Amino acid sequence: MAFFDYRDGILHAEDVPLPRIAEAVGTPVHVYSAAALRHAAYGFSAALAPLPVARRAFAVKANPNIALLRLLAECGYGADIVSGGELAHAIAAGMKPQDIVFSGVGKTDREMIEALDAGIGQFNLELEEEGQVLSDLARVRGVRAPVVLRVNPDVDAGTHAKIATGQRETKFGVPIDAAPAIYARLARLDGLDLRGIAVHIGSQLRDLTPMERAFTRIGDLVRTLRAAGHGVSDVDLGGGLGIAYAPDETAPSFEDYAGMVGRVTRNWNVALTFEPGRAIVGAAGLLLTRVIWVKPGVTHPYVIVDAAMNDLMRPALYDAFHRFAAVAPRGGRMQAHIAGPICETGDSFARGREIDAVRRGDLAVFHTTGAYGAAMASTYNCRAVSPQLLVDGDEYRIVGERGTVIDRAA
Ligand code: LLP
């Protein structure tokens, strides 16, 4: 189903022509489709339906926009959070505390207290000492913190090094070999209700094999823990499911993913938590921009657009590919570099790419920016954070204001 598509030669978001949005709020602007978000959210839920699902916890880091989180809450989603700020967003969006899980390698005492007071459903412990501190914090409050232990299964996720988390040397989780002993010690702490294991080996995984290998190791660990007399009622399988960014890329379907999970976890007898981010929100957004100049270059011209790496970091940070397209294509094609106005060479979206022919003043988009797009925005070069807009049918509304460029406190 196409939620961003051409009608009479003009790119639309659902029923709204993008030039109307550019006119109303200016560019650059992040545009989301509510229908696309619902489609992915319900599609993922439907694929998981045969499995024993405890919760689908949307990874808020992928897109913390409260309007989008509210929509996901309506679709039955909870949240995977990594900070007090994300906790506040999830609660403000109406997500049920029980459906919130707290991951993250550096939870502060204050953040743990806020999460305990909110009554969240699960803490994912990243190290033993965190369990001891959390146990003490819970005990003085007269509660027991529901926890799982995040394990690093020592699997190469086969993704970009900056977003892989499951290899032997990583800041995340505890090594799988050390997990049984740590689990046994954590199980003795009064302030904890130790329920099981969590795993997440990386993001943008377009091949299910490394995930399957990791989950298989987790299954072995669950058996080992039970053989040692421990209760294991919950396993959190993390997120990481990849999506197609380039036209020639493929990615596993939700059904492929759920099928693999069903096969591997068949005899586990646990409730499963999922933490999808990108796969839910990635395709539900695009970044609308305007061409400022088409500047002659040595090998190819530079298409300089008004969006920059502060709006969409992924190409600069991971050499990520985002499809570029004209809003009203003129018919021709051109070979070009695409860059933003920020004063460093890294502010580049594409090099020597074949794209729709564009001219100064044309509108264009970067596709598939719903995940880790606005979420990673900065104000570098005193650029205002770009607004965010949610389209639903033939209506739209601003769900993120354009930021300011002057710090009044200074
Ligand atoms: N759970 C945990 C513990 C995570 O660390 C992450 C992502 C997720 C779930 C969600 O993963 P997803 O389903 O979205 O792959 N900024 C990078 C991605 C960083 C992902 C960090 N952790 C990017 O733009 O590609």
Side-chain angles (χ1 to χ4, degrees):
M1 223 173 296
F3 301 100
F4 299 106
D5 211 355
Y6 290 91
R7 291 188 199 167
D8 299 327
I10 306 286
L11 187 57
H12 284 55
E14 301 190 30
D15 298 332
V16 180
L18 290 179
R20 191 191 298 165
I21 290 174
E23 181 127 327
V25 299
T27 55
V29 52
H30 293 277
V31 180
Y32 305 121
S33 155
L37 191 59
R38 286 190 200 103
H39 178 73
Y42 285 128
F44 190 71
S45 299
L48 296 185
L51 303 173
V53 180
R55 56 178 85 77
R56 283 152 287 125
F58 172 69
V60 174
K61 63 177 83 69
N63 195 319
N65 186 286
I66 291 176
L68 269 55
L69 295 183
R70 202 171 286 138
L71 218 147
L72 288 172
E74 286 164 15
C75 297
Y77 279 66
D80 163 44
I81 59 162
V82 293
S83 71
E86 289 191 353
L87 174 63
H89 275 230
I91 300 279
M95 281 162 165
K96 295 195 200 79
Q98 258 311 309
D99 294 337
I100 298 177
V101 306
F102 195 171
S103 307
V105 73
K107 305 179 192 76
T108 64
D109 289 20
R110 174 183 287 273
E111 287 173 325
M112 288 192 264
I113 290 167
E114 283 170 7
L116 280 172
D117 290 347
I120 68 161
Q122 178 175 294
F123 291 80
N124 294 8
L125 300 178
E126 299 264 0
L127 69 163
E128 185 173 355
E129 194 179 358
E130 181 191 358
Q132 294 157 354
V133 171
L134 181 61
S135 174
D136 290 344
L137 292 171
R139 267 192 315 136
V140 295
R141 282 165 179 74
V143 295
R144 294 180 81 205
V147 301
V148 295
L149 177 63
R150 177 163 176 187
V151 168
N152 165 22
D154 187 15
V155 167
D156 179 358
T159 187
H160 192 285
K162 285 185 185 159
I163 54 175
T165 54
Q167 68 282 27
R168 193 166 192 77
E169 182 73 33
T170 169
K171 68 175 176 176
F172 298 101
V174 303
I176 192 157
D177 306 342
I182 296 175
Y183 201 92
R185 289 193 292 271
L186 290 173
R188 287 198 285 271
L189 298 178
D190 290 340
L192 300 186
D193 175 10
L194 181 57
R195 296 178 174 176
I197 298 295
V199 64
H200 172 85
I201 61 166
S203 191
Q204 182 53 8
L205 307 188
R206 293 194 300 111
D207 175 4
L208 293 175
T209 317
M211 254 195 232
E212 178 158 1
R213 197 171 301 138
F215 296 170
T216 303
R217 289 188 185 172
I218 297 303
D220 295 341
L221 176 61
V222 168
R223 273 185 290 280
T224 304
L225 293 172
R226 284 187 176 145
H230 297 297
V232 180
S233 61
D234 283 77
V235 174
D236 181 334
L237 296 178
L241 185 58
I243 61 174
Y245 283 97
D248 60 347
E249 264 178 359
T250 57
S253 67
F254 292 157
E255 287 72 23
D256 295 340
Y257 173 76
M260 180 275 284
V261 171
R263 214 168 45 246
V264 179
T265 66
R266 195 169 38 236
N267 300 316
W268 287 14
N269 227 335
V270 296
L272 298 170
T273 289
F274 296 87
E275 303 173 353
R278 189 190 316 265
I280 302 299
V281 78
L286 56 71
L287 175 59
L288 177 59
T289 185
R290 196 179 286 281
V291 176
I292 305 179
W293 308 111
V294 179
K295 175 183 173 174
V298 174
T299 51
H300 303 295
Y302 284 87
V303 172
I304 311 280
V305 294
D306 66 359
M309 65 193 280
N310 74 304
D311 298 301
L312 179 63
M313 273 276 267
R314 306 192 67 258
L317 203 51
Y318 319 115
D319 292 318
F321 180 100
H322 285 271
R323 190 156 62 86
F324 178 86
V327 165
R330 300 168 177 281
R333 304 283 287 171
M334 68 195 280
Q335 191 103 0
H337 307 309
I338 310 171
I342 282 181
C343 286
E344 62 175 274
T345 303
D347 184 22
S348 161
F349 292 109
R351 305 227 11 114
R353 194 189 290 177
E354 193 198 303
I355 56 171
D356 289 336
V358 288
R359 296 187 200 153
R360 169 170 166 76
D362 283 0
L363 289 171
V365 300
F366 292 102
H367 277 287
T368 329
T369 58
Y372 308 107
M376 295 172 73
S378 80
T379 55
Y380 189 33
N381 280 203
C382 285
R383 290 170 54 88
V385 165
S386 294
Q388 300 172 65
L389 192 141
L390 181 62
V391 173
D392 199 350
D394 58 3
E395 294 175 358
Y396 65 82
R397 65 193 174 92
I398 292 177
V399 294
E401 298 280 359
R402 191 181 294 285
T404 52
V405 293
I406 297 279
D407 185 345
R408 296 191 192 287

